[in-house]
Structures are given as C-alpha cells and as structure tokens.
Amino acid sequence: MPENAFPRGALPSPRSAVLAARRHARTLGAPASFLWRPQQISMWGNDAHGDCVTAEEAFAKACNAPEIFIPDNEVIGWATRLGVLEGAVIVDVLNWMQNDGFHNQGHTYTDGPYSYVDWTSAGVLRSAIAIGPVKLGIAADQVSAAYGAANGHTGWVGTGFHSDPNIDHCVALCGYGSMAWLAQQLGTALPDGVDGSAPGYAMFTWNSIGIIDVPSMLAITAEAWLRNPTTVVKSDNGWEGFELAAAGASSPTGGIAAVSRIPGSMEVFYVGANGSVQDCFWYEGQPWQHFELAPPGSASTSGGIAAVSRIPGSMEIFYVGANGSVQDCFWYDGQPWQRFELAPPGSASTSGGIAAVSRIPGSMEVFYVGANGSVQDCFWYDGQPWQRFELAPAGSASTSGGIAAVSRIPGSMEVFYVGANGSVQDCFWYDGQPWQRFELAPPGSASTSGGIAAVSRIPGSMEIFYVGANGSVQDCFWYDGHPWQRFELAPAGSASTSGGIAAVSRVPGSMEIFYSGADGSLQDCYWYDGNPWQRFTLNGPGSAAGNAKVAAVSRIAGSMEVFYIGSGGTVRDCYWYG
C-alpha cells in the first residue's frame, strides 16, 4: 500500500455468490455521456476506517434525486453495528442493505435488488451506470497514487494502470464519456499527453470523483454490481419509495397515469422529456420493466394522459398529441400495443387535462379540454366505432386546468373540470337522460393550472379534490339524497398551484389523496370512516418537480402505490402495504 494512503477494506465476493447472481442485461437508450454528481459527498468514515464498502453505499444514496446525504456518524454506526467497519465482503453489504439501511430524519434508505454487471462490455456497463452508480471491487494501489497526485481533489486522473488482481477497495463508477467531457464536467484539466477523445469513466472514492480511462479500469476491477433501484426510501409511517425512471426521463410538466388491470400487475404511463410516451409495467414477483410506447414528438410535453382497464385482459391509454390531437393506444392480452388518432390535430389543448372511465365492461368514455376551452366527450360501445361530441362549449374550461371522471354505478358518470374563471364545473349523466351541468364551486375557487381528482368509495357517494387558487386543497363530497358540501382539506400555500392531485379508495371505508406541495414535497391526506382527515409529508421538499403530476392506484385492498414526476425529470414510486 502506498505511503499515507487512506484505509481500504473490501473483500472479494465468494465465487458462488457471483455465479448465482442475476446478470444485468444491456438496456437501450443510454445517453452518449452521463454523470451522477451529487452536490455533497464525504469520506463517510473511510479516512479513518476500512469501511469503503459501506461508504460507497452512502455515495449511491447521494446520487438520488433529490439528493440524500447520510451523515458520517450514521454510516460509521451502521458499519459498526454490522461488524464491517474495518472490512466487508462486498456482496454481504449489498444483501444487508436491502433490509437494513441507513436511518436519517424519519426515513430508512435501503437498496433495491442487485445484479452482476459485466464491466468488460462497454455497452452493458454504460447502460448500468445510466440506471445508477455501479459498485466496483478493485485493486486500489494505483488509484491511491492518482488520487494522491491531485491532493485528493475531485478531478484526479488515472491512466496507464497495469493489471492488478489484488482486490482491496470498493468504489463507484458514476459516469462515462470522453476523457475531455468528464474533465469538463468535473472542472479539471487533463494532464499533458492524455487523449481527451478516449473513453473514460468517473469513479467515486475517498470524498472525490476522479476520471479513469477504460484500460486502467479494466486492469484493476474484479467485480461490479448494479442496484435497481439504487435507493428505496422507507418512511417511518410504513411507506417506501424508489426512483422508477432516472433523471431526464420525463417531462417535468407532462402527465402521468396508472392502472391495475389484475391484482398482480400495475402499469404506469408518462410523457417523456422528448415527447415520447413511456410505459413501465410490473408483474408480481418480477422487477419493473420499461419500454417506449410512442416515439419522441408524439405527445405534448405539457399535456395530460389517462388510462383505463375495462376488462382484465385489456388496457387503453389516451394522451394529448404534440399537435393537439388525441391519441389512443390499446392492448389486448397476447397482442402487441396498437395506436390510432382519436381526435385530429388542433382538437385538444396541448396543456390541458384528459380523463377516462369505463362504467361497464363494454364501454369507455374519454373527456378532454379542447383547444378552445370546450370540453369534449369521446365514447365507445363494443362493436361500434368511437363517437365524439361537445360536452361544454368553447370558453367553459381552463385550457391548462385539470379534468376528472368517475362512475359510481354502472348507469351513471360524472365529470369535473376547472372552469376558465377558476370555478369547478360538474357534468353528470344518468342512463336514458341527457348530460346536465352545474357549477360546483364559484369563480376563483380553483387554480386554473391545477389538478383535480375524483373517487367513489361506495355507490352512494362521490368525493372530489382540487387545488385552490391560493394553493389550498379543497374537498367537495356528495352522499345520495344530500346536496354537495365543500371544505378546506389543506390550507392556503399547501399545494403547488400548477401541480397534480390523485385520489384512491382501497377499501370502502377509506380514501387517500396525494398532491404535489408548494415546496416540491409529496403530500398525503387520508381518511378512515369515523375519523377526521389527517395529513403528512410523504416525500420531502424538492422531491417533486415544480409542476409535478401525480397518479395513484390500489391493486389490492392492502396496498396503494403512488407515481409522480420527480425533480430533474425522474419518475418516482411510493408504495404502501398494510
């Protein structure tokens, strides 16, 4: 070990564990260059102890969006409690971290499941780094020398390493690109003689991020691991969360929708930063998977998206196209997704909402805000083509406001939308009767760019929630035979006036709503029959994008899942099991 080097402490993972581990498969769509660079990093005890395997875990948490900084004393304490302060088998820490993570400020931060990464394949390794920092076991003598030559500052450069199989240290690869690009991102200059066009990697160790060329990384690396998700956030209230899609994946102003067609599955749809439509799906016992449902430029990056499952073997989603069209994507079990144009260009407001409902298995209805502030209705009955009509005339709706729909009984539907004047409007239909409309809340009540959500927990009741013009959250409720009533659920300044809101009822005696807070938090309000509403912060300030849209689903009575657009264009998932 070079003189004055910091401690190490990585022990190789047993060959049996490596052979048994799931392999990371290369995913398409990784950017040409990429860097995880947290604003705050630390030694996390690795200046005095051989806890490098644990310190790397703290660095990985710092790469979350929003960043999570774990204090040094918590990292040292965790390593001490697990008996790995002065050395650890790498895979042991990966295993322990899935169930026993770092504790800080009312949350526990754990790892997602891990897979083994083939670090010798540039495509495989880059696709892994684009998902999260990759944990490496390396021989550190030459890294220590490069680090020392730069006085331990970020921007150190490692080139020309010789082969060294003596694994003794744990680091993270947190970026890739040309050597020159990485140097620019880290604010350093490459030494004379280093080819700036050559590919390289960013490497975290000892409170720094340095640059290492590909041959040198290959010469010293003995194992590599990806956690996916990198971080799972568990609240003291029982909620857990993780990053479903990495930074830059989603449009910060775009829509998100979720559906559960069967108890053992969920599907989430969101507008990509490039105007694509992305699909994330989950089946019980399997990891989340992602694919592109519609190519870049398909969707309005500030428009809505809605999803419905009318029968267990089918799903349908509707979104506002970049050209103001309304697009329909549908899926039947055993067949590929198909797509068609439901309403032509210029039909929909490119910043307006869209909602869908299926009141009976053989019918669907879609409602959207027109480009002229009208409310449009598209309906379908099995065996017949889609039809469309105007539900509310031009100027009725806010062209940037929300819309929600609910069917409490098979013979009825109700649609709620934000009026152009900040009112809340209600359109209702009973089988055999024409649509009727009335004002549920007066002008100035609602934010004209805020969300609205509706839920029916029992056949004889409906409840709607909307963002007030003053950033409050308002609740309107109806019981069969009684007039609508309204009250303030959260005070002025609570909600983002351009953010989303979602509602779910997992059992008849309960409702839960989720909305993006004015401070970029995710807020949760819940109600149980016979008890008052209660409210808490589900994810802290800065978690959500400023205009974050929110979707929620309950696939079984004992579970809820919430999806929202996170800061930096991430997509985040919070889930609860009773």
Side-chain angles (χ1 to χ4, degrees), residues 141-516:
D141 282 357
Q142 295 166 92
V143 169
S144 181
Y147 173 90
N151 296 316
H153 296 148
T154 283
W156 55 264
V157 178
T159 60
F161 290 3
H162 59 78
S163 179
D164 186 348
N166 299 306
I167 180 173
D168 62 356
H169 193 43
C170 183
V171 301
L173 288 187
C174 57
Y176 59 84
S178 71
M179 298 287 282
W181 183 85
L182 290 168
Q184 181 184 41
Q185 299 305 305
L186 297 176
T188 191
L190 293 174
D192 292 342
V194 173
D195 181 0
S197 64
Y201 293 98
M203 178 181 285
F204 162 80
T205 187
W206 296 312
N207 193 26
S208 74
I209 298 175
I211 306 167
I212 184 170
D213 66 9
V214 174
S216 296
M217 184 278 294
L218 294 173
I220 62 171
T221 301
E223 58 184 90
W225 304 88
L226 173 68
R227 297 146 291 209
N228 190 11
T230 303
T231 302
V232 176
V233 182
K234 301 181 179 181
S235 300
D236 289 348
N237 51 37
W239 281 88
E240 302 183 19
F242 65 94
E243 188 174 273
L244 184 58
S250 67
S251 167
T253 56
I256 188 168
V259 71
S260 175
R261 63 180 183 87
I262 54 175
S265 178
M266 293 176 286
E267 207 131 348
V268 183
F269 311 90
Y270 64 90
V271 177
N274 58 2
S276 61
V277 176
Q278 299 291 321
D279 183 326
C280 302
F281 63 93
W282 174 90
Y283 286 88
E284 192 158 21
Q286 299 179 41
W288 281 92
Q289 297 186 59
H290 306 242
F291 71 96
E292 187 170 87
L293 185 55
S298 297
S300 166
T301 53
S302 56
I305 190 167
V308 71
S309 175
R310 64 181 182 87
I311 54 175
S314 178
M315 294 177 285
E316 205 134 349
I317 74 156
F318 310 89
Y319 63 90
V320 177
N323 58 3
S325 62
V326 176
Q327 299 290 321
D328 182 326
C329 299
F330 63 94
W331 174 90
Y332 286 88
D333 201 357
Q335 300 179 39
W337 280 91
Q338 297 185 59
R339 181 160 58 104
F340 69 95
E341 188 170 88
L342 184 58
S347 297
S349 166
T350 54
S351 57
I354 190 167
V357 71
S358 175
R359 64 181 182 86
I360 54 175
S363 178
M364 293 177 287
E365 207 130 348
V366 183
F367 310 90
Y368 63 89
V369 176
N372 59 1
S374 62
V375 175
Q376 299 291 321
D377 182 326
C378 300
F379 63 94
W380 174 89
Y381 285 88
D382 202 356
Q384 300 179 39
W386 280 92
Q387 298 185 59
R388 181 160 58 103
F389 69 96
E390 188 170 88
L391 185 57
S396 298
S398 166
T399 54
S400 56
I403 189 168
V406 71
S407 175
R408 64 182 182 86
I409 54 175
S412 178
M413 293 178 286
E414 208 132 347
V415 183
F416 310 90
Y417 62 89
V418 176
N421 57 3
S423 62
V424 176
Q425 299 291 322
D426 182 327
C427 300
F428 63 93
W429 173 89
Y430 284 89
D431 202 356
Q433 300 179 40
W435 281 91
Q436 298 185 58
R437 181 160 58 102
F438 70 95
E439 187 172 89
L440 185 56
S445 298
S447 166
T448 54
S449 57
I452 189 167
V455 71
S456 175
R457 63 181 182 86
I458 54 174
S461 178
M462 292 177 286
E463 206 133 349
I464 74 156
F465 311 89
Y466 63 90
V467 177
N470 59 1
S472 62
V473 176
Q474 300 290 322
D475 182 327
C476 300
F477 62 93
W478 174 90
Y479 284 88
D480 203 356
H482 298 274
W484 281 92
Q485 297 185 60
R486 182 160 57 103
F487 70 96
E488 187 170 89
L489 185 56
S494 297
S496 166
T497 53
S498 55
I501 190 167
V504 71
S505 175
R506 62 181 183 86
V507 291
S510 178
M511 292 176 286
E512 204 134 349
I513 73 157
F514 311 90
Y515 62 90
S516 53

